[in-house]
Amino acid sequence: MKEFREAGLRQEILDAIAEMGFVKPTPIQEKTISHLLSSKQDLVALAQTGTGKTAAFGLPIVEQVDPSLNKTQALILCPTRELCMQITKDFNSFSKYLPRIKTVAIYGGSSIEKQISTLAKGVHIVVGTPGRVLDLIYKKKLKIEKITWLVLDEADEMLNMGFKEDLDEILSSVISDKQTLLFSATMPGEIAKIAETYMTDPDEISAGQKNVGAENVEHHYYLVHARDRYNALKRLADVYPDIYGIVFCRTREETQQVADKLISDGYNADALHGNLSQSQRDQVMNRFRTGHLQLLVATDVAARGIDVNNLSHIINYNLPDDPDIYLHRSGRTGRAGKSGISISIVHMKEKSRIRMIENRSKIRFAQKKVPDGITICEKQLFCLVDRVVNIDVNKDQIERFLPYIYDKLSDLSRDELIQHFISVEFNRFLEYYKDASDLNKGIEAQKVKTKSSDKYKDREKFSGRESFTREDGRKKQDKRGKKDFSRFFISVGSKDNIDKPGLIKLIASQIRNRAVEIGRVDLMKNFSFFEIDSSYEKETLKAFELYEFMGKPVTVELSSTEPHEPRPRVKKKGSKNKYQS
Ligand code: ADP
Ligand code: MG
């Protein structure tokens, strides 16, 4: 099937997707749509983010749902509220000309009563997060006996988020004669296990190579000292004045801290992560989608729901442990035929991960040098000149001031005039970068000539200051009502063949309460540390009583030690923050 028309979709659907701008099916759609329209066989479909999976399962479901049967016939499970809403919106677009088909989103953190009353009216397609879906099944408000299609969308991400048990329960309680479809960008062992346990002899299809980065994405990395990570980020933002992208961080805390620093340094940036309230998240996402926000600092999970096709850059503030996550991230740029750049800020200890990602995924990285002051100034200058050339001049309004202005400027030659005007903006950059050190690792850093007192003096004035004290970060966190975390020691480490995501899953599954938030996790060789919302200290200790891992008893106790990774040897006051290590 090379055209939607050949698939056997009804005219109402063809009209609707034509309006959405779908001309040709994507590869995963080609394969999945014809499969679902012709076979009842379960299906595992692998395709990376942005390949059109929603329509791949959505169109054949909308095609086959029976609107005259007042029962829920399709249940779609996905990891986040944002995705629920996105998928529901897509389904409503697909069924625009089949108005009797009702699709509803159900997710946590929103009134369950309203969702119950919507369900009571009868809906054909339910899109939900596993926790809320399960609640509503228990309450007997979501009836599942007539489910014909059960879709697990972003199955790998649902597992990463600790939904394994909820999924197990849902999968084992939907016993009708259903077709189960599992969509995932990656195929970790646990997904294979779900497929094995709950699916009957599934067909497996994958579109193109699994986990291959988009072809029009360039992969760049910058090698810096760990303590220079943030400064390198700023230089990259400065050298790409028109940047529109996502900065990926590992934890919610780091996300907030980096965003706070960028904001306080005058960049058009904001944070998106799970510690924010839903309305804060919606606001940030809207500003980003509409292009009012240039840099979105986000965790992987929070960035899931964002569907923006024209990002110029992805910045990996840290390299993820899992190569597949790197591919997810970089696949968010270079979409819809546009080119994109995926940037990684890497310190020496992470360098091997670059090779690991290359080996796993056939992409090639180019090492780049962190731009020096001159380069940035040049970029900014040309950007400024472009702005001057392209600015709309409001003749009517400016007219009456002109005589005075002409008079005032009459002693300047044309050349001098240009120089003066440009300098108004440009001097800030020039001054800021005039003594900028070389951030590239391995090259002896020049001494920064500015005295520290001078630095602080005009920190307010200039947006791009490279100094930021730990206290600044703290204060902001407090204002935003950041949670307190307690730090625990656990006698499990990388020598036990566990990686960081594995450890997080282990902790989450042991605590068994999704309300409990896991903060920073530091995996060491022989043991590890993890942070838990302080109000759950007792619960956490109890959860690990008598716990055994790989047949060995495990010790978990409160830790008083501060973090973690080896710090840079020279420690200057105020020159680094804990999350820069
Ligand atoms: P995935 O779930 O694989 O990450 P989505 O289903 O969210 O991808 O689709 C990504 C984007 O591509 C959406 O904006 C969607 O509207 C668009 N899209 C999907 N299928 C097509 C198609 N056949 N032609 C053009 N655009 C499409
Ligand atoms: Mg999707």
Side-chain angles (χ1 to χ4, degrees):
M1 166 199 125
K2 286 267 174 250
E3 302 286 336
F4 284 116
R5 226 175 324 109
E6 298 162 28
L9 296 167
R10 63 191 73 210
Q11 193 59 42
E12 288 90 334
I13 296 179
L14 293 175
D15 290 344
I17 57 177
E19 264 179 44
M20 295 172 76
F22 292 15
V23 179
K24 270 188 179 314
T26 65
I28 192 77
Q29 289 166 357
E30 263 181 41
K31 295 183 181 173
T32 312
I33 295 173
S34 31
H35 176 100
L36 291 185
L37 291 177
S38 62
S39 158
K40 287 275 127 209
Q41 191 86 17
D42 287 349
L43 181 69
V44 172
L46 300 179
Q48 63 170 134
T49 315
T51 52
K53 292 192 284 293
T54 314
F57 60 79
L59 298 177
I61 288 178
V62 170
E63 172 69 36
Q64 296 177 88
V65 150
D66 177 2
S68 62
L69 179 64
N70 199 11
K71 296 262 186 274
T72 300
Q73 296 157 53
L75 174 59
I76 293 136
L77 299 169
C78 66
T80 65
R81 166 189 151 127
E82 282 75 23
L83 273 171
C84 273
M85 299 200 305
Q86 183 71 45
I87 294 170
T88 307
K89 197 172 132 241
D90 287 347
F91 269 68
N92 284 329
S93 304
F94 302 155
S95 64
K96 182 174 172 193
Y97 297 112
L98 298 165
R100 291 174 64 210
I101 298 180
K102 297 272 177 282
T103 304
V104 65
I106 59 176
Y107 40 78
S110 167
S111 154
I112 197 166
E113 277 73 34
K114 226 169 121 195
Q115 292 170 2
I116 289 174
S117 74
T118 315
L119 287 173
K121 286 183 209 139
V123 291
H124 307 104
I125 301 166
V126 170
V127 185
T129 49
R132 183 52 65 93
V133 163
L134 202 56
D135 279 356
L136 288 162
I137 293 176
Y138 281 148
K139 290 191 160 65
K140 299 206 166 32
K141 302 297 178 191
L142 173 58
K143 309 243 168 47
I144 48 175
E145 53 278 3
K146 289 285 177 208
I147 298 281
T148 313
W149 300 275
L150 177 60
V151 181
L152 309 178
D153 190 23
E154 309 249 16
D156 46 356
E157 203 55 37
M158 288 199 279
L159 293 184
N160 286 343
M161 291 179 67
F163 282 132
K164 170 91 170 60
E165 284 173 15
D166 290 348
L167 285 180
D168 279 336
E169 291 221 44
I170 297 169
L171 283 161
S172 48
S173 57
V174 182
I175 45 167
S176 61
D177 188 13
K178 64 180 187 300
Q179 186 172 24
T180 304
L181 317 168
L182 186 153
F183 287 82
S184 186
T186 59
M187 188 70 170
E190 274 181 297
I191 298 274
K193 207 151 165 206
I194 287 197
E196 222 168 80
T197 317
Y198 298 108
M199 298 172 79
T200 319
D201 191 19
D203 274 349
E204 187 183 315
I205 59 177
S206 67
Q209 265 174 316
K210 286 167 214 172
N211 310 322
V212 174
E215 277 166 18
N216 33 1
V217 177
E218 284 178 45
H219 302 269
H220 297 173
Y221 75 93
Y222 295 84
L223 204 56
V224 299
H225 279 288
R227 63 165 180 268
D228 286 330
R229 224 187 258 287
Y230 176 69
N231 290 336
L233 171 65
K234 277 194 348 185
R235 288 205 191 174
L236 292 166
D238 284 340
V239 86
Y240 294 112
D242 296 322
I243 192 168
Y244 177 40
I246 305 178
V247 180
F248 283 100
C249 293
R250 283 204 219 203
T251 62
R252 296 167 180 198
E253 286 69 41
E254 185 182 64
T255 303
Q256 188 64 57
Q257 282 162 335
V258 170
D260 280 346
K261 291 211 288 179
L262 286 171
I263 296 165
S264 111
D265 285 343
Y267 293 86
N268 181 11
D270 213 338
L272 185 73
H273 55 71
N275 283 5
L276 302 175
S277 74
Q278 189 58 51
S279 72
Q280 282 173 313
R281 262 170 22 208
D282 289 346
Q283 254 183 23
V284 174
M285 296 245 272
N286 270 336
R287 281 170 52 223
F288 187 60
R289 274 205 198 94
T290 51
H292 289 98
L293 190 64
Q294 262 188 297
L295 286 172
L296 182 76
V297 190
T299 57
D300 288 290
V301 170
R304 274 275 150 154
I306 299 170
D307 180 30
V308 178
N309 277 333
N310 53 341
L311 298 181
S312 65
H313 291 78
I314 288 301
I315 299 183
N316 296 278
Y317 192 68
N318 286 296
L319 270 181
D321 295 320
D322 179 353
D324 290 337
I325 293 183
Y326 177 84
L327 292 165
H328 261 305
R329 292 179 177 181
S330 57
R332 299 190 153 269
T333 180
R335 285 188 177 187
K338 299 197 180 70
S339 61
I341 299 179
S342 170
I343 288 175
S344 301
I345 304 174
V346 177
H347 72 83
M348 218 49 186
K349 275 173 68 191
E350 295 172 319
K351 214 184 147 185
S352 60
R353 277 201 225 142
I354 294 278
R355 299 284 101 80
M356 193 164 86
I357 295 169
E358 286 190 328
N359 291 339
R360 274 284 286 275
S361 54
K362 305 203 170 63
I363 58 177
R364 285 289 161 265
F365 282 86
Q367 181 173 0
K368 298 280 174 180
K369 275 187 74 177
V370 181
D372 56 18
I374 301 289
T375 312
I376 291 171
C377 287
E378 184 184 313
K379 262 284 173 64
Q380 289 286 343
L381 185 57
F382 291 159
C383 176
L384 183 58
V385 172
D386 275 344
R387 273 171 50 207
V388 171
V389 171
N390 294 323
I391 193 100
D392 288 328
V393 175
N394 193 330
K395 280 225 175 76
D396 295 345
Q397 294 301 316
I398 214 170
E399 201 90 49
R400 56 189 150 144
F401 305 113
L402 286 177
Y404 171 77
I405 295 171
Y406 287 145
D407 184 47
K408 194 86 184 159
L409 301 176
S410 61
D411 287 341
L412 295 175
S413 71
R414 178 182 187 271
D415 288 356
E416 285 169 335
L417 247 175
I418 293 175
Q419 289 159 14
H420 277 243
F421 267 96
I422 291 291
S423 299
V424 172
E425 273 284 310
F426 184 58
N427 279 357
R428 298 188 310 157
F429 275 94
L430 212 54
E431 207 164 285
Y432 178 55
Y433 277 116
K434 80 171 180 253
D435 297 317
S437 56
D438 186 344
L439 298 185
N440 293 287
K441 170 115 182 175
I443 301 158
E444 195 50 47
Q446 274 174 260
K447 235 178 142 29
V448 180
K449 286 186 207 129
T450 336
K451 274 181 274 155
S452 64
S453 57
D454 292 344
K455 261 192 175 178
Y456 283 100
K457 195 181 71 199
D458 46 11
R459 186 160 83 207
E460 305 300 335
K461 260 195 292 178
F462 179 59
S463 60
R465 272 286 159 214
E466 287 201 357
S467 64
F468 188 92
T469 60
R470 190 171 180 153
E471 285 71 33
D472 291 337
R474 280 279 162 80
K475 262 185 241 135
K476 275 210 193 58
Q477 290 304 311
D478 291 343
K479 250 199 305 202
R480 295 199 181 218
K482 185 185 153 233
K483 283 186 182 148
D484 274 323
F485 283 93
S486 301
R487 196 168 165 78
F488 292 82
F489 162 91
I490 181 167
S491 62
V492 173
S494 58
K495 69 158 189 341
D496 301 300
N497 272 329
I498 197 163
D499 57 8
K500 202 153 153 182
L503 182 61
I504 294 171
K505 272 178 229 163
L506 182 157
I507 297 163
S509 67
Q510 205 53 30
I511 297 178
R512 283 166 163 259
N513 176 351
R514 257 181 296 113
V516 180
E517 206 163 274
I518 303 174
R520 181 176 175 131
V521 174
D522 292 300
L523 183 75
M524 314 284 189
K525 187 154 167 251
N526 297 309
F527 51 82
S528 307
F529 293 101
F530 61 93
E531 294 178 343
I532 295 283
D533 183 345
S534 290
S535 28
Y536 294 97
E537 243 174 49
K538 283 214 185 83
E539 191 172 335
T540 304
L541 290 170
K542 192 148 174 35
F544 281 96
E545 270 172 23
L546 305 174
Y547 176 64
E548 289 187 356
F549 180 69
M550 316 274 281
K552 273 189 335 191
V554 167
T555 312
V556 168
E557 54 199 23
L558 270 168
S559 150
S560 53
T561 56
E562 264 288 290
H564 0 276
E565 294 178 55
R567 288 162 185 259
R569 250 162 263 137
V570 195
K571 228 170 89 182
K572 270 186 259 140
K573 196 165 168 268
S575 68
K576 72 178 279 294
N577 295 284
K578 84 171 185 193
Y579 45 85
Q580 281 182 308
S581 59

